[in-house]
Amino acid sequence: MVGQSARVVFRRRQPSEPETIDVLFDPTKVDLVTLSPDGATVLLHIVNDSAWSGSDAQIESLQLKVQTYVRFALDGPMVSNYPETAGVAWQIRLDDQVGSRAERSMRVLDQLSVAVRGYGGYLVVADA
């Protein structure tokens, strides 16, 4: 077969992009409950130690998680589980253990903050 062009049978495999895992918030549980050092505020912690993607699934799970926390504070479970929190102000605290958040995530957090204030609490985003 001299003089004929060779046909490519095998191609070099291109390295694939590393898969990103879309981490979702578990809306069925409250991660951590503490009191502020002065005892004036109940801190309801959402612990995030994974990257922000800003995906629909991640945003929806965050919204559901915040709703769970608001219900926990307002519908009685907080006081029934922790009687010392009766009559104490409450705050949802997003303890972020990772780098930057996706722009979309920041917009949603701002909207959630306004909504939580409407229920008498606060949403605070704390960087590590």
Side-chain angles (χ1 to χ4, degrees):
M1 297 212 150
V2 177
Q4 293 183 350
S5 61
R7 198 173 90 198
V8 176
V9 178
F10 297 101
R11 293 185 189 263
R12 175 184 267 181
R13 289 184 57 165
Q14 298 296 321
S16 61
E17 292 291 320
E19 285 188 37
T20 57
I21 298 172
D22 197 15
V23 176
L24 305 180
F25 295 89
D26 181 356
T28 64
K29 69 176 190 163
V30 173
D31 297 338
L32 178 66
V33 178
T34 65
L35 282 173
S36 63
D38 63 3
T41 306
V42 180
L43 304 174
L44 305 172
H45 300 266
I46 297 174
V47 180
N48 178 41
D49 59 358
S50 301
W52 288 92
S53 68
S55 70
D56 289 347
Q58 189 178 57
I59 295 295
E60 183 179 345
S61 70
L62 174 63
Q63 291 169 325
L64 291 171
K65 181 90 167 175
V66 170
Q67 289 173 9
T68 295
Y69 279 50
V70 170
R71 283 192 304 273
F72 181 78
L74 296 180
D75 292 348
M78 182 173 75
V79 172
S80 65
N81 290 328
Y82 307 99
E84 65 276 15
T85 65
V88 179
W90 57 275
Q91 176 185 109
I92 299 171
R93 181 180 168 98
L94 176 59
D95 294 321
D96 217 350
Q97 306 296 316
V98 294
S100 61
R101 290 167 210 93
E103 183 178 325
R104 181 175 182 215
S105 301
M106 288 304 300
R107 285 194 310 271
V108 170
L109 285 166
D110 289 342
Q111 293 167 353
L112 287 171
S113 181
V114 171
V116 170
R117 279 196 305 271
Y119 290 103
Y122 292 93
L123 174 64
V124 175
V125 179
D127 295 318

